[in-house]
Amino acid sequence: MKKERVLITGAAGFLGSHLCDRFIKEGYHVIGMDNLITGDLRNIEHLFGLAEFEFYNHDVSKFVHVPGELKYILHFASPASPIDYLKIPIQTLKVGSLGTHNLLGLAMAKKARILVASTSEVYGDPTVHPQTEEYWGNVNPVGPRGVYDEAKRFQEAMTMAYHTYHGLETRIVRIFNTYGPRMRLNDGRVLPAFMGQALRGEDLTVFGDGSQTRSFCYVDDLVEGIYRLLLSNCADPVNIGNPMEITIAQFAEEIIKLTGTNQKVIYQPLPIDDPKQRQPNIDKAKFILGWEPKISRQEGLRITWEYFRSLPKERLYEEAHHRDFNAN
Ligand code: UDP
């Protein structure tokens, strides 16, 4: 029987690679696309032998062509860590805006349903807590995070316009902090930073006084929420995240305990515009999708630690790479 075909952009990234696995498991033919600027082929090398997987090395900011039919498009291509935005701000803006436009056009041509990866960053440094989908956000457009936040806000507006004007089937997921195997050790985000430091025998770097909060969702829970949202009939944005909130200082203590490292916490300056608090309100996901996270932080961190621990030692010292560095 012919399998239905799904295009996943950002396929070699953290979330994209887990989505590829899930859609193959669900019986789809998966076309993965990535330009490998921040993605890593090692995340999907286990799929290359499969007849139901193919890979295109392509930048979706440029015109996207995929032969044949497509049932679904999932747009997950984007740098996703604050240090990436600083290094490749223009590419970050382009993939969220031009890339989204190209994929919406492709969805029209293929009569495919498209789900776009939005973010809790559309809420900026939120003045409403926890964040519901109704909150419009508090974003600094010209700050270092603006290139990501505003691209994603534009993405939502563009996606909604295609929905209302063209009647395109669209879904928007607002993703809160997510973690798990295949995060890049050197991507600068807090979990790989702390675990990498524990593995290298370095002190854990807490930014600011560590009182800022985040709420961390394990990747399998997130993928389940995304899968359900795609199959639902909800075109409005939906928060997917784990509401268990924790300060970054407490988080560092948890990682020290889990890893058994003898290192201590050291304090470094807080990056500009670093949100003070973040916690999803997931009532909408619960109500519409019957979804809520199942994996506790304790369990998720244990699995993630096993993953990082099992990596070859040389990967602990790899430089952050931005291949094909060409910021225009
Ligand atoms: N953070 C930290 N130490 C690090 C990396 C990050 O204290 O080595 C802090 C960062 O300032 C932020 C939080 O951890 O308050 C989460 O940062 P991350 O980059 O993971 O994601 P964000 O939610 O800020 O996009």
Side-chain angles (χ1 to χ4, degrees):
M1 210 181 70
K2 216 172 119 232
K3 288 176 183 281
E4 289 180 318
R5 289 153 55 87
V6 183
L7 171 66
I8 300 177
T9 75
F14 165 48
L15 296 182
S17 67
H18 284 282
L19 286 166
C20 290
D21 288 345
R22 175 66 188 259
F23 277 84
I24 285 171
K25 208 168 122 211
E26 297 290 343
Y28 292 91
H29 180 95
V30 172
I31 298 157
M33 192 173 277
D34 204 298
N35 67 353
L36 303 177
I37 291 188
T38 59
D40 191 330
L41 284 181
R42 290 175 295 198
N43 289 335
I44 46 171
E45 62 188 356
H46 59 288
L47 302 178
F48 274 91
L50 302 179
E52 57 269 44
F53 182 73
E54 49 188 307
F55 180 74
Y56 289 72
N57 183 337
H58 181 68
D59 177 356
V60 298
S61 307
K62 315 231 164 72
F63 183 81
V64 181
H65 171 70
V66 175
E69 292 173 6
L70 285 178
K71 171 98 172 161
Y72 300 123
I73 298 173
L74 289 98
H75 181 26
F76 278 71
S78 177
S81 127
I83 60 164
D84 289 339
Y85 321 149
L86 291 171
K87 287 186 185 149
I88 42 175
I90 297 168
Q91 281 157 323
T92 303
L93 275 160
K94 284 173 72 176
V95 72
S97 55
L98 308 182
T100 299
H101 190 205
N102 288 335
L103 293 161
L104 288 165
L106 183 67
M108 291 287 297
K110 302 287 184 187
K111 298 187 171 45
R113 180 180 296 183
I114 180 169
L115 180 147
V116 297
S118 187
T119 165
S120 55
E121 284 281 324
V122 300
Y123 304 123
D125 190 3
T127 55
V128 166
H129 194 73
Q131 293 80 55
T132 63
E133 290 86 350
E134 284 66 44
Y135 177 49
W136 290 355
N138 177 35
V139 170
N140 173 6
V142 294
R145 288 172 177 256
V147 295
Y148 183 68
D149 302 7
E150 296 296 1
K152 292 292 189 178
R153 290 172 68 95
F154 175 88
Q155 175 186 64
E156 288 198 9
M158 192 66 152
T159 301
M160 196 48 82
Y162 266 69
H163 177 68
T164 50
Y165 185 74
H166 289 305
L168 186 68
E169 286 258 34
T170 57
R171 305 287 178 267
I172 299 171
V173 57
R174 289 187 181 152
I175 299 169
F176 284 66
N177 292 69
T178 304
Y179 70 95
R182 303 186 194 151
M183 290 186 96
R184 251 161 62 220
L185 253 184
N186 53 21
D187 86 349
R189 282 186 289 182
V190 66
L191 182 138
F194 287 171
M195 287 196 175
Q197 287 158 347
L199 284 167
R200 290 187 301 267
E202 297 165 6
D203 291 335
L204 274 62
T205 51
V206 167
F207 297 164
D209 63 4
S211 64
Q212 70 274 29
T213 69
R214 295 292 185 272
S215 309
F216 295 97
C217 185
Y218 185 67
V219 63
D220 289 358
D221 280 333
L222 185 93
V223 166
E224 178 64 27
I226 290 169
Y227 192 71
R228 289 189 191 200
L229 176 60
L230 177 71
L231 300 187
S232 79
N233 57 12
C234 180
D236 290 325
V238 178
N239 289 341
I240 300 285
N242 189 322
M244 288 296 291
E245 189 181 11
I246 184 172
T247 69
I248 295 302
Q250 284 169 330
F251 192 59
E253 289 308 322
E254 278 192 6
I255 303 284
I256 287 174
K257 209 165 143 216
L258 169 73
T259 61
T261 175
N262 296 321
Q263 305 301 131
K264 59 182 191 313
V265 164
I266 52 170
Y267 292 88
Q268 292 187 353
L270 192 67
I272 298 167
D273 294 343
D274 198 284
K276 187 80 198 106
Q277 53 184 2
R278 184 182 290 151
Q279 181 191 32
N281 175 310
I282 58 165
D283 289 351
K284 194 167 170 182
K286 276 187 190 161
F287 184 71
I288 295 177
L289 312 176
W291 174 88
E292 62 183 319
K294 298 261 181 295
I295 297 160
S296 67
R297 200 167 55 238
Q298 194 187 17
E299 172 71 353
L301 288 180
R302 195 188 53 73
I303 301 168
T304 309
W305 174 238
E306 287 308 319
Y307 166 78
F308 282 129
R309 231 168 40 151
S310 71
L311 290 178
K313 206 144 179 53
E314 61 271 16
R315 283 188 65 172
L316 300 180
Y317 298 94
E318 277 177 2
E319 291 290 315
H321 62 275
H322 293 100
R323 277 190 283 271
D324 186 26
F325 194 110
N326 163 19
N328 55 37

